[in-house]
Amino acid sequence: MFWAGDRPAETLDTLRELGFRCGQIGIPGQLALDSRMTQDWKKALEQANFTVYTVFAAFEGESYADIPTVQRTVGFIPRVTREVRERRMLEVSDFAAHLSVPAIATHVGFIPEDTSHPDYFAVREMVRRVCDHAVSHQQTFALETGQERASVLLDFLLDVNRRNLGINFDPANMILYGTGDPIESLVVVGQHVVSVHCKDGDWPPPEVPGALGAERPLGQGSVDLKAFLAGLKKIGYKGPLTIERETHDKDQRLRDLKEGRQLLEELKES
Ligand code: MG
C-alpha cells in the first residue's frame, strides 16, 4: 500500500527496488486528480509494468489522533463534509477507471449501531450512490474494516444491498480500535472480503479512554499472522496480500514493507 504524489515514476521505482510488482494506491485528500495527474500515473504504471488493483480514497480534514477524533473527522460520517467527500469519491472512481483499476475503497468512518439514526440512512444512501457510480466502471467498492464490530459492518453491507460492495479486511484495525478478535471477525464477514491489508498493531491502552492502539511493523504486534493467513485460506480468499505500514518516517516505512514481505513469504511456505 503506497500513496500517490506527483512523482509517480520515482514512487514506482522505489517499490520495484523492494521487489513489489503490484499494490494498492492511496490518494491523499489534497491531491489534485486532474488530467495531467491521471496521465502521469497511467504512463508511469505502464512503463514500470506495475499493477494497481485498488485505489484508496482519503479525505482532507481526516485525523486518526484518537477514537473520538476519528468519529468526528473520518469518512462519510461527518455531515459538513459529506457532499464534498461524495464528489471526491466519484472522482477517485473515475481516476481508477482511467488507470483500469478494478476496485476503489475507503474508510467510511464509524457506522452508527443505531440503524434508525439519520446519519445511518444518509451514509447508506451515499454508499449506494458510490456503488452505482463504481459499477458503471465495472469496479467493486470496498469498505475498510475496524471502526465498528464485524457484525455491524456485515449488517450495514447487507442493508446497502449492492452486488459490487465488498470489504477490505484489515486485521490490525480490529485490534487498534478494540472492535473484536480479527480472526473471528474474518469468519463473520468472510464471503464479502475482496481485498486485505496485512498490518499489525497492539490493543488500545485500557488506562487511556478513547485512545487507539499503536500500529506496529508486520509481525511485531498482536495480530496472529499465521492464523490470519489460515483464515484467508479458509474463506477462499485468492487476492493479493497488501502490506500496509502507516508510519510517517519514509525510510522506516520502506524497511518495514521489505521485512513484512519477507515475513509473509516465510509464513506462506511454512
Ligand atoms: Mg488498512
Side-chain angles (χ1 to χ4, degrees):
M1 166 89 189
F2 62 101
W3 289 91
D6 52 11
R7 295 171 185 269
E10 216 171 278
T11 304
L12 296 174
D13 279 352
T14 308
L15 291 168
R16 284 179 58 94
E17 275 163 28
L18 295 174
F20 294 104
R21 295 288 177 274
C22 67
Q24 294 180 316
I25 188 170
I27 308 295
Q30 75 283 4
L31 191 75
L33 292 179
D34 51 23
S35 59
R36 207 188 114 196
M37 184 67 73
T38 308
Q39 284 312 316
D40 286 354
W41 271 98
K42 193 178 165 66
K43 205 169 113 192
L45 286 166
E46 279 166 9
Q47 279 175 354
N49 195 19
F50 194 99
T51 307
V52 171
Y53 53 90
T54 312
V55 179
F56 247 88
F59 303 104
E60 266 192 297
E62 290 183 321
S63 166
Y64 289 85
D66 54 27
I67 291 175
T69 310
V70 172
Q71 277 171 327
R72 217 177 49 244
T73 66
V74 167
F76 293 180
I77 304 296
R79 274 175 233 172
V80 283
T81 50
R82 227 174 251 160
E83 234 181 281
V84 83
R85 289 183 180 179
E86 181 171 341
R87 279 202 301 276
R88 177 66 172 181
M89 200 66 225
L90 303 188
E91 234 180 73
V92 166
S93 168
D94 295 343
F95 175 78
H98 283 298
L99 268 45
S100 307
V101 176
I104 55 168
T106 197
H107 276 282
V108 292
F110 278 84
I111 294 162
E113 299 214 359
D114 173 5
T115 56
S116 64
H117 196 285
D119 287 343
Y120 179 91
F121 285 113
V123 171
R124 186 188 63 190
E125 293 312 304
M126 199 167 154
V127 170
R128 283 178 175 163
R129 290 191 295 272
V130 173
C131 283
D132 295 343
H133 185 89
V135 92
S136 72
H137 294 311
Q138 289 94 45
Q139 292 163 345
T140 56
F141 176 35
L143 308 175
E144 172 101 354
T145 53
Q147 290 163 348
E148 51 284 305
R149 291 179 293 116
S151 61
V152 174
L153 186 65
L154 178 66
D155 289 345
F156 177 74
L157 185 133
L158 295 174
D159 193 16
V160 172
N161 194 25
R162 289 294 186 273
R163 291 177 71 164
N164 64 326
L165 185 64
I167 287 172
N168 184 84
F169 194 93
D170 184 327
N173 282 350
M174 312 301 302
I175 289 177
L176 299 179
Y177 288 86
T179 42
D181 176 84
I183 314 302
E184 287 168 19
S185 302
L186 180 62
V187 176
V188 174
V189 296
Q191 70 180 113
H192 301 282
V193 173
V194 292
S195 50
V196 302
H197 281 164
C198 294
K199 191 172 82 183
D200 214 338
D202 290 328
W203 294 90
E207 68 281 8
V208 190
L212 277 162
E215 194 237 351
R216 303 270 182 229
L218 203 59
Q220 295 179 33
S222 304
V223 173
D224 183 343
L225 268 181
K226 213 168 175 172
F228 180 56
L229 294 182
L232 287 175
K233 211 171 200 176
K234 213 164 154 186
I235 64 165
Y237 179 77
K238 292 194 170 64
L241 300 171
T242 304
I243 302 164
E244 184 181 29
R245 179 70 171 115
E246 291 174 349
T247 179
H248 291 293
D249 180 333
K250 193 185 165 216
D251 294 336
Q252 179 73 48
R253 218 172 76 77
L254 295 177
R255 270 199 303 278
D256 292 343
L257 286 177
K258 190 178 177 184
E259 283 172 19
R261 183 199 153 100
Q262 283 162 356
L263 177 64
L264 283 180
E265 276 170 3
E266 281 162 27
L267 286 172
K268 269 166 62 186
E269 277 164 24
S270 66

Coordinates of all heavy atoms in Angstrom, one line a residue, residues 56-125:
F56 N -7.4 3.6 -3.1 CA -8.0 4.0 -1.8 C -8.2 5.5 -1.7 O -7.2 6.3 -2.0 CB -7.0 3.6 -0.7 CG -7.6 2.5 0.1 CD1 -7.4 1.2 -0.2 CD2 -8.3 2.8 1.3 CE1 -7.9 0.1 0.6 CE2 -8.8 1.7 2.1 CZ -8.6 0.4 1.7
A57 N -9.3 6.0 -1.2 CA -9.5 7.4 -1.0 C -9.4 7.8 0.4 O -9.9 7.2 1.3 CB -10.9 7.8 -1.5
A58 N -8.5 8.8 0.7 CA -8.5 9.5 2.0 C -9.1 10.9 1.7 O -9.2 11.3 0.6 CB -7.1 9.6 2.5
F59 N -9.5 11.6 2.8 CA -10.2 12.9 2.6 C -9.5 14.0 3.4 O -9.0 13.7 4.4 CB -11.6 12.8 3.0 CG -12.4 11.7 2.2 CD1 -12.7 10.5 2.8 CD2 -12.8 11.9 0.9 CE1 -13.4 9.5 2.1 CE2 -13.4 10.9 0.2 CZ -13.8 9.7 0.8
E60 N -9.5 15.2 2.8 CA -9.0 16.3 3.5 C -9.7 16.5 4.8 O -11.0 16.4 4.9 CB -9.2 17.6 2.7 CG -7.9 17.9 1.8 CD -8.0 19.3 1.2 OE1 -8.9 19.5 0.4 OE2 -7.1 20.1 1.5
G61 N -9.0 16.8 5.9 CA -9.6 17.1 7.2 C -9.8 15.9 8.1 O -10.3 16.0 9.2
E62 N -9.3 14.7 7.6 CA -9.4 13.5 8.4 C -8.2 13.5 9.4 O -7.1 13.9 9.1 CB -9.3 12.2 7.6 CG -10.6 12.0 6.7 CD -10.6 10.7 5.9 OE1 -9.5 10.4 5.4 OE2 -11.6 10.1 5.8
S63 N -8.5 13.0 10.6 CA -7.4 12.8 11.6 C -7.7 11.5 12.4 O -8.8 11.2 12.8 CB -7.4 14.0 12.6 OG -6.6 13.6 13.7
Y64 N -6.6 10.8 12.5 CA -6.7 9.5 13.3 C -6.0 9.6 14.6 O -5.4 8.7 15.1 CB -6.0 8.4 12.4 CG -6.8 8.0 11.2 CD1 -6.7 8.7 10.0 CD2 -7.7 7.0 11.2 CE1 -7.4 8.4 8.9 CE2 -8.5 6.6 10.1 CZ -8.3 7.3 8.9 OH -9.1 7.0 7.8
A65 N -6.1 10.8 15.3 CA -5.4 11.0 16.5 C -5.9 10.1 17.7 O -5.1 9.5 18.4 CB -5.6 12.5 17.0
D66 N -7.2 10.0 17.8 CA -7.8 9.0 18.8 C -9.2 8.7 18.3 O -9.7 9.2 17.3 CB -7.7 9.6 20.2 CG -8.4 11.0 20.3 OD1 -9.3 11.2 19.4 OD2 -8.1 11.7 21.2
I67 N -9.9 7.8 19.1 CA -11.2 7.3 18.6 C -12.2 8.4 18.4 O -12.8 8.5 17.4 CB -11.6 6.1 19.4 CG1 -10.7 4.9 19.1 CG2 -13.1 5.8 19.1 CD1 -10.9 3.7 19.9
P68 N -12.4 9.3 19.4 CA -13.3 10.4 19.2 C -13.0 11.3 18.0 O -13.9 11.7 17.3 CB -13.3 11.2 20.5 CG -12.7 10.3 21.5 CD -11.8 9.4 20.8
T69 N -11.7 11.5 17.8 CA -11.4 12.4 16.6 C -11.7 11.6 15.3 O -12.2 12.2 14.3 CB -9.9 12.7 16.7 OG1 -9.6 13.3 17.9 CG2 -9.5 13.8 15.6
V70 N -11.4 10.3 15.3 CA -11.8 9.6 14.1 C -13.3 9.6 13.8 O -13.8 9.9 12.7 CB -11.3 8.1 14.2 CG1 -11.9 7.2 13.1 CG2 -9.8 8.0 14.3
Q71 N -14.1 9.5 14.9 CA -15.5 9.5 14.8 C -16.0 10.9 14.2 O -16.9 10.9 13.5 CB -16.2 9.3 16.2 CG -16.3 7.9 16.5 CD -16.7 7.6 18.0 OE1 -16.4 8.4 18.9 NE2 -17.5 6.6 18.2
R72 N -15.3 11.9 14.6 CA -15.7 13.3 14.2 C -15.2 13.6 12.8 O -15.8 14.5 12.2 CB -15.0 14.3 15.3 CG -15.9 15.5 15.6 CD -15.3 16.4 16.6 NE -13.9 16.7 16.3 CZ -12.9 16.4 17.1 NH1 -13.1 15.7 18.2 NH2 -11.7 16.8 16.8
T73 N -14.1 13.1 12.4 CA -13.5 13.6 11.1 C -13.4 12.6 10.0 O -13.1 13.0 8.8 CB -12.0 14.1 11.4 OG1 -11.2 12.9 11.8 CG2 -12.0 15.1 12.5
V74 N -13.5 11.3 10.2 CA -13.2 10.3 9.1 C -14.4 9.9 8.3 O -15.5 9.6 8.8 CB -12.4 9.1 9.7 CG1 -12.3 8.0 8.8 CG2 -11.0 9.6 10.2
G75 N -14.2 9.8 7.0 CA -15.1 9.2 6.1 C -16.3 9.9 5.8 O -16.4 11.1 5.7
F76 N -17.4 9.2 5.6 CA -18.7 9.7 5.1 C -19.5 10.2 6.3 O -20.6 10.8 6.1 CB -19.5 8.6 4.4 CG -18.9 8.2 3.1 CD1 -19.5 7.2 2.3 CD2 -17.7 8.7 2.6 CE1 -19.0 6.8 1.1 CE2 -17.2 8.3 1.4 CZ -17.8 7.4 0.6
I77 N -19.1 10.0 7.5 CA -20.0 10.3 8.7 C -20.1 11.8 9.0 O -21.2 12.2 9.2 CB -19.4 9.5 9.9 CG1 -19.4 8.0 9.7 CG2 -20.3 9.8 11.2 CD1 -20.7 7.3 9.4
P78 N -19.0 12.6 9.0 CA -19.2 14.0 9.3 C -20.1 14.7 8.3 O -19.9 14.6 7.1 CB -17.8 14.6 9.2 CG -16.8 13.4 9.3 CD -17.6 12.2 8.7
R79 N -21.2 15.3 8.9 CA -22.2 15.9 8.0 C -21.7 17.0 7.1 O -22.0 17.1 5.9 CB -23.4 16.4 8.8 CG -24.4 15.3 9.2 CD -25.4 15.8 10.1 NE -25.5 14.9 11.2 CZ -26.2 15.1 12.3 NH1 -26.9 16.2 12.4 NH2 -26.2 14.2 13.3
V80 N -20.9 17.9 7.7 CA -20.5 19.1 6.9 C -19.6 18.7 5.7 O -19.7 19.5 4.7 CB -19.7 20.1 7.8 CG1 -20.6 20.8 8.7 CG2 -18.5 19.4 8.6
T81 N -18.9 17.6 5.7 CA -18.1 17.3 4.5 C -18.7 16.2 3.6 O -18.0 15.8 2.7 CB -16.7 16.8 5.0 OG1 -16.9 15.8 6.0 CG2 -15.9 17.9 5.6
R82 N -19.9 15.8 3.9 CA -20.4 14.7 3.2 C -20.5 14.9 1.7 O -20.1 14.1 0.9 CB -21.8 14.4 3.8 CG -22.0 12.9 4.1 CD -23.3 12.7 4.7 NE -23.1 12.3 6.1 CZ -24.1 12.4 7.1 NH1 -25.3 12.9 6.7 NH2 -23.9 12.0 8.3
E83 N -21.1 16.0 1.3 CA -21.3 16.3 -0.1 C -19.9 16.3 -0.8 O -19.8 15.7 -1.9 CB -22.0 17.6 -0.2 CG -23.2 17.6 -1.1 CD -23.9 18.9 -1.2 OE1 -24.5 19.3 -0.2 OE2 -23.7 19.6 -2.2
V84 N -19.0 17.1 -0.3 CA -17.7 17.2 -0.9 C -16.9 15.9 -1.0 O -16.3 15.6 -2.0 CB -16.9 18.4 -0.2 CG1 -16.2 18.0 1.0 CG2 -16.0 19.1 -1.2
R85 N -17.1 15.1 0.0 CA -16.4 13.8 0.0 C -17.1 12.8 -0.9 O -16.4 11.9 -1.5 CB -16.3 13.2 1.4 CG -15.3 14.0 2.3 CD -15.1 13.5 3.6 NE -14.2 14.3 4.4 CZ -13.8 14.1 5.6 NH1 -14.3 13.1 6.3 NH2 -13.0 14.9 6.2
E86 N -18.4 12.9 -1.1 CA -19.0 12.1 -2.1 C -18.5 12.4 -3.5 O -18.2 11.5 -4.3 CB -20.6 12.2 -2.0 CG -21.3 11.3 -3.0 CD -22.8 11.3 -2.9 OE1 -23.3 11.7 -1.8 OE2 -23.4 10.9 -3.8
R87 N -18.4 13.7 -3.8 CA -17.9 14.1 -5.1 C -16.5 13.6 -5.3 O -16.1 13.1 -6.4 CB -17.9 15.6 -5.2 CG -19.3 16.2 -5.6 CD -19.1 17.6 -6.3 NE -18.5 18.6 -5.4 CZ -19.1 19.2 -4.4 NH1 -20.4 19.1 -4.3 NH2 -18.5 20.1 -3.7
R88 N -15.7 13.7 -4.2 CA -14.3 13.2 -4.3 C -14.2 11.7 -4.5 O -13.4 11.2 -5.3 CB -13.6 13.6 -3.0 CG -12.2 13.1 -2.9 CD -11.2 13.8 -3.9 NE -9.9 13.5 -3.6 CZ -8.8 13.9 -4.3 NH1 -9.0 14.7 -5.3 NH2 -7.6 13.5 -4.0
M89 N -15.1 11.0 -3.9 CA -15.1 9.5 -4.0 C -15.4 9.2 -5.5 O -14.8 8.2 -6.0 CB -16.2 9.0 -3.1 CG -16.0 7.5 -2.7 SD -14.5 7.1 -1.8 CE -13.9 5.7 -2.7
L90 N -16.3 9.9 -6.1 CA -16.7 9.6 -7.5 C -15.5 10.0 -8.4 O -15.2 9.3 -9.4 CB -17.9 10.4 -7.9 CG -19.2 10.1 -7.1 CD1 -20.4 10.8 -7.8 CD2 -19.5 8.7 -6.9
E91 N -14.8 11.0 -8.0 CA -13.6 11.5 -8.8 C -12.5 10.4 -8.7 O -11.8 10.0 -9.7 CB -13.0 12.7 -8.1 CG -12.8 13.9 -9.0 CD -12.2 15.0 -8.2 OE1 -11.0 15.0 -7.8 OE2 -13.0 16.0 -7.9
V92 N -12.4 9.8 -7.5 CA -11.4 8.7 -7.3 C -11.8 7.5 -8.2 O -11.0 6.8 -8.8 CB -11.3 8.3 -5.8 CG1 -10.6 7.0 -5.6 CG2 -10.6 9.5 -5.1
S93 N -13.1 7.2 -8.2 CA -13.6 6.1 -9.1 C -13.3 6.4 -10.5 O -12.8 5.5 -11.3 CB -15.1 6.0 -8.9 OG -15.7 5.1 -9.8
D94 N -13.4 7.6 -11.0 CA -13.1 8.0 -12.4 C -11.6 7.8 -12.6 O -11.2 7.3 -13.7 CB -13.6 9.4 -12.7 CG -15.1 9.5 -12.7 OD1 -15.8 8.5 -12.7 OD2 -15.6 10.7 -12.6
F95 N -10.8 8.3 -11.7 CA -9.3 8.2 -11.8 C -9.0 6.7 -11.9 O -8.2 6.3 -12.7 CB -8.7 8.8 -10.5 CG -7.2 8.6 -10.4 CD1 -6.4 9.5 -11.1 CD2 -6.7 7.7 -9.5 CE1 -5.0 9.3 -11.0 CE2 -5.3 7.6 -9.3 CZ -4.4 8.4 -10.1
A96 N -9.6 5.8 -11.0 CA -9.3 4.4 -11.1 C -9.7 3.8 -12.4 O -8.9 3.0 -13.0 CB -10.0 3.7 -10.0
A97 N -10.8 4.3 -13.0 CA -11.2 3.8 -14.3 C -10.2 4.1 -15.4 O -9.9 3.3 -16.2 CB -12.6 4.4 -14.6
H98 N -9.7 5.3 -15.3 CA -8.6 5.7 -16.3 C -7.4 4.8 -16.2 O -6.7 4.6 -17.2 CB -8.2 7.2 -16.2 CG -9.3 8.2 -16.7 ND1 -9.6 8.2 -18.0 CD2 -10.0 9.1 -16.1 CE1 -10.5 9.2 -18.2 NE2 -10.8 9.7 -17.0
L99 N -7.1 4.4 -15.0 CA -6.0 3.5 -14.8 C -6.3 2.0 -15.0 O -5.5 1.2 -14.7 CB -5.4 3.8 -13.4 CG -4.3 4.8 -13.2 CD1 -4.6 6.1 -14.0 CD2 -4.1 5.1 -11.7
S100 N -7.6 1.8 -15.4 CA -8.0 0.4 -15.5 C -7.9 -0.4 -14.2 O -7.6 -1.6 -14.2 CB -7.3 -0.4 -16.6 OG -7.4 0.4 -17.8
V101 N -8.1 0.2 -13.1 CA -8.1 -0.4 -11.8 C -9.5 -0.9 -11.4 O -10.5 -0.1 -11.5 CB -7.6 0.5 -10.7 CG1 -7.6 -0.1 -9.3 CG2 -6.1 1.0 -11.0
P102 N -9.7 -2.2 -11.0 CA -11.0 -2.7 -10.9 C -11.7 -2.5 -9.5 O -12.8 -3.0 -9.3 CB -10.7 -4.2 -11.0 CG -9.3 -4.4 -10.5 CD -8.6 -3.2 -10.9
A103 N -11.0 -1.7 -8.6 CA -11.7 -1.5 -7.3 C -11.3 -0.2 -6.7 O -10.2 0.3 -6.9 CB -11.2 -2.7 -6.3
I104 N -12.2 0.4 -5.9 CA -12.0 1.5 -5.1 C -12.3 1.2 -3.7 O -13.0 0.2 -3.4 CB -12.8 2.8 -5.5 CG1 -14.3 2.4 -5.6 CG2 -12.3 3.3 -6.9 CD1 -15.2 3.7 -5.7
A105 N -11.8 1.9 -2.7 CA -12.0 1.6 -1.3 C -11.9 2.9 -0.5 O -11.2 3.8 -0.9 CB -11.1 0.5 -0.8
T106 N -12.4 2.8 0.7 CA -12.2 3.9 1.7 C -12.7 3.4 3.1 O -13.3 2.4 3.3 CB -13.0 5.2 1.3 OG1 -12.4 6.3 2.0 CG2 -14.5 5.1 1.6
H107 N -12.3 4.3 4.1 CA -12.9 4.1 5.4 C -14.1 5.0 5.4 O -14.0 6.2 5.2 CB -11.9 4.8 6.4 CG -10.8 4.0 7.0 ND1 -11.0 3.1 7.9 CD2 -9.5 4.0 6.7 CE1 -9.9 2.5 8.2 NE2 -8.9 3.1 7.5
V108 N -15.3 4.4 5.5 CA -16.5 5.3 5.5 C -16.6 6.0 6.9 O -17.4 6.9 7.1 CB -17.8 4.6 5.1 CG1 -17.8 4.2 3.7 CG2 -18.1 3.4 6.0
G109 N -15.9 5.5 7.9 CA -16.0 6.1 9.2 C -16.8 5.1 10.1 O -17.2 4.1 9.7
F110 N -17.1 5.6 11.3 CA -17.8 4.8 12.3 C -19.3 4.7 11.8 O -20.0 5.7 11.9 CB -17.8 5.4 13.7 CG -16.6 5.1 14.4 CD1 -15.4 5.9 14.3 CD2 -16.5 4.1 15.4 CE1 -14.3 5.6 15.0 CE2 -15.4 3.8 16.1 CZ -14.3 4.6 15.9
I111 N -19.7 3.5 11.4 CA -21.2 3.3 11.1 C -22.0 3.3 12.4 O -21.7 2.5 13.3 CB -21.3 2.0 10.3 CG1 -20.6 2.2 8.9 CG2 -22.8 1.7 10.0 CD1 -20.3 0.9 8.2
P112 N -23.0 4.1 12.5 CA -23.8 4.1 13.7 C -24.4 2.7 14.0 O -24.9 2.1 13.0 CB -24.9 5.2 13.5 CG -24.4 6.0 12.3 CD -23.5 5.1 11.5
E113 N -24.4 2.3 15.2 CA -25.0 1.0 15.5 C -26.5 1.1 15.6 O -27.2 0.2 15.4 CB -24.5 0.5 16.9 CG -23.0 0.2 16.9 CD -22.5 -0.9 17.7 OE1 -23.4 -1.6 18.4 OE2 -21.3 -1.2 17.7
D114 N -27.0 2.4 15.8 CA -28.5 2.6 15.8 C -28.9 2.8 14.3 O -28.7 3.9 13.7 CB -28.7 3.9 16.6 CG -30.2 4.4 16.5 OD1 -31.0 3.6 15.9 OD2 -30.5 5.4 17.1
T115 N -29.6 1.8 13.8 CA -29.9 1.9 12.4 C -31.1 2.8 12.1 O -31.5 2.9 10.9 CB -30.3 0.4 11.8 OG1 -31.3 -0.1 12.7 CG2 -29.0 -0.5 11.9
S116 N -31.7 3.4 13.1 CA -32.7 4.4 12.9 C -32.2 5.8 12.9 O -32.9 6.8 12.8 CB -33.9 4.2 13.9 OG -33.4 4.5 15.2
H117 N -30.9 5.9 13.1 CA -30.2 7.2 13.2 C -30.1 7.9 11.8 O -29.8 7.2 10.8 CB -28.8 7.1 13.8 CG -28.2 8.3 14.3 ND1 -27.7 9.3 13.4 CD2 -28.0 8.8 15.5 CE1 -27.3 10.3 14.1 NE2 -27.5 10.1 15.4
P118 N -30.4 9.2 11.7 CA -30.4 9.9 10.4 C -29.0 9.7 9.7 O -29.0 9.6 8.5 CB -30.6 11.3 10.7 CG -31.2 11.4 12.1 CD -30.8 10.1 12.8
D119 N -27.9 9.7 10.5 CA -26.6 9.5 9.9 C -26.5 8.1 9.2 O -25.8 8.0 8.2 CB -25.5 9.7 10.9 CG -25.3 11.1 11.3 OD1 -25.8 12.0 10.6 OD2 -24.7 11.3 12.4
Y120 N -27.1 7.2 9.8 CA -27.1 5.8 9.3 C -27.7 5.8 7.9 O -27.1 5.3 6.9 CB -27.8 4.8 10.2 CG -27.8 3.4 9.7 CD1 -26.7 2.5 10.0 CD2 -28.8 3.0 8.8 CE1 -26.7 1.2 9.4 CE2 -28.8 1.7 8.3 CZ -27.8 0.8 8.6 OH -27.8 -0.5 8.1
F121 N -28.9 6.4 7.8 CA -29.6 6.4 6.5 C -28.8 7.2 5.5 O -28.7 6.8 4.3 CB -31.0 7.1 6.7 CG -32.0 6.3 7.3 CD1 -32.5 6.6 8.6 CD2 -32.5 5.1 6.7 CE1 -33.4 5.8 9.2 CE2 -33.4 4.3 7.4 CZ -33.9 4.6 8.6
A122 N -28.3 8.4 5.9 CA -27.6 9.2 4.9 C -26.3 8.5 4.4 O -26.1 8.6 3.2 CB -27.2 10.5 5.6
V123 N -25.6 7.8 5.3 CA -24.4 7.2 4.8 C -24.7 6.0 4.0 O -24.1 5.7 3.0 CB -23.5 6.8 6.0 CG1 -22.4 5.9 5.6 CG2 -23.0 8.1 6.7
R124 N -25.8 5.3 4.3 CA -26.2 4.1 3.5 C -26.6 4.6 2.1 O -26.1 4.0 1.1 CB -27.5 3.4 4.1 CG -27.8 2.2 3.4 CD -29.2 1.6 3.9 NE -30.2 2.6 3.7 CZ -31.5 2.4 4.2 NH1 -31.8 1.4 5.0 NH2 -32.4 3.3 3.9
E125 N -27.3 5.7 2.0 CA -27.6 6.2 0.6 C -26.4 6.6 -0.1 O -26.3 6.4 -1.3 CB -28.6 7.4 0.7 CG -30.0 7.0 1.3 CD -30.6 5.7 0.6 OE1 -30.7 5.7 -0.6 OE2 -30.9 4.7 1.3

